[in-house]
Amino acid sequence: MGDALDRLDAEITECRRCPRLVAWREQVAATRRAAFRDEEYWGRPVPGFGPHRAPIAILGLAPAAHGGNRTGRIFTGDRSGDVLFAALHRAGLANQPTSTARDDGLELTATRIFAAVRCAPPDNKPTPQERDTCAPFLHRELRALAPDLRVVVALGAFAWAAFWPAVRAVYGVAPARKVPFGHGALWQADGAPALLGCYHVSQQNTFTGRLTPGMLDEILARAKRLAGLT
């Protein structure tokens, strides 16, 4: 299982299947943001992060242009990551509350984080074709985690929608009717991990109070219960 994830991570970082995303991620890495002008950007697809045996998975949308696309680790070096990893630390699922660089010493417990699309997209909006092109990576990651995985936390409606083809492909399970996304929405079925909805940890949601630290804490507490960790 570990070898499968290692091979997957290596393959992801070399992917060039989506011309628009390749052009954008490399343009961002070349021009850089003024605050990071002296840094060397990652500028490649971003693999998953966390232990190979994890009962909890957190599924996001895509790396941020000046976050994961800069640092090479998902939700690392941006405001969304500041919120997410602080909450994971409060929940006892991370050894520190910050995630700033790939070598910052961060370790996750029982939790793996990855995205439905592995490259930073313009305006944070992948196209349906880009989502579908990247989907096999999501399927393979879920398949490698399957022996231990008990719950997937979907951050936002895009990740929620990306889960359904993946659970069908990996587990052979599908809901009888469309399950709408919502914060705290829960879907469960025999033979598949539970799916738990959470508003995305975007600045738009956290700055406006649509997603508060308390709301995120409750989602992670529910995820731990569903995973049998409490």
Side-chain angles (χ1 to χ4, degrees):
M1 179 183 61
D3 289 344
L5 276 175
D6 287 339
R7 289 194 298 271
L8 174 63
D9 289 347
E11 186 176 333
I12 286 170
T13 64
E14 300 299 327
C15 183
R16 301 183 65 85
R17 297 173 190 170
C18 298
R20 188 182 78 112
L21 297 187
V22 171
W24 173 251
R25 79 192 192 208
E26 293 180 354
Q27 176 187 333
V28 170
T31 57
R32 308 176 189 177
R33 178 174 283 174
F36 309 121
R37 66 168 61 93
D38 296 328
E39 295 188 24
E40 182 176 350
Y41 274 53
W42 174 258
R44 291 187 279 164
V46 180
F49 172 65
H52 290 175
R53 300 191 64 177
I56 298 173
I58 297 177
L59 178 60
L61 190 162
H66 301 281
N69 188 60
R70 173 173 62 89
T71 62
R73 192 168 71 196
I74 193 70
F75 284 114
T76 295
D78 60 27
R79 295 287 180 86
S80 296
D82 292 344
V83 172
L84 177 60
F85 287 105
L88 288 168
H89 183 254
R90 291 193 300 271
L93 298 173
N95 68 329
Q96 62 188 43
T98 58
S99 181
T100 58
R102 294 197 307 280
D103 59 355
D104 62 3
L106 175 66
E107 296 180 2
L108 299 183
T109 299
T111 306
R112 188 165 173 90
I113 304 176
F114 42 90
V117 174
R118 307 304 172 113
C119 291
D123 300 318
N124 291 321
K125 294 180 180 178
T127 67
Q129 182 179 356
E130 289 162 351
R131 175 201 62 203
D132 294 344
T133 299
C134 211
F137 289 143
L138 174 58
H139 299 181
R140 288 169 58 186
E141 190 134 16
L142 288 175
R143 191 171 290 114
L145 294 170
D148 301 282
L149 189 59
R150 298 294 176 266
V151 57
V152 175
V153 178
L155 297 179
F158 188 96
W160 180 269
F163 175 81
W164 303 114
V167 76
R168 187 180 300 110
V170 176
Y171 294 91
V173 174
R177 60 182 63 86
K178 183 177 180 180
V179 183
F181 169 76
H183 184 80
L186 176 64
W187 173 83
Q188 293 177 288
D190 291 339
L195 179 65
L196 181 59
C198 178
Y199 290 144
H200 196 279
V201 288
S202 66
Q203 290 186 55
Q204 180 179 358
N205 285 341
T206 57
F207 283 8
T208 61
R210 189 183 192 208
L211 178 66
T212 66
M215 291 167 65
L216 188 52
D217 289 346
E218 176 54 27
I219 289 291
L220 293 177
R222 289 181 67 188
K224 289 178 68 175
R225 292 194 295 270
L226 288 164
L229 298 179
T230 56

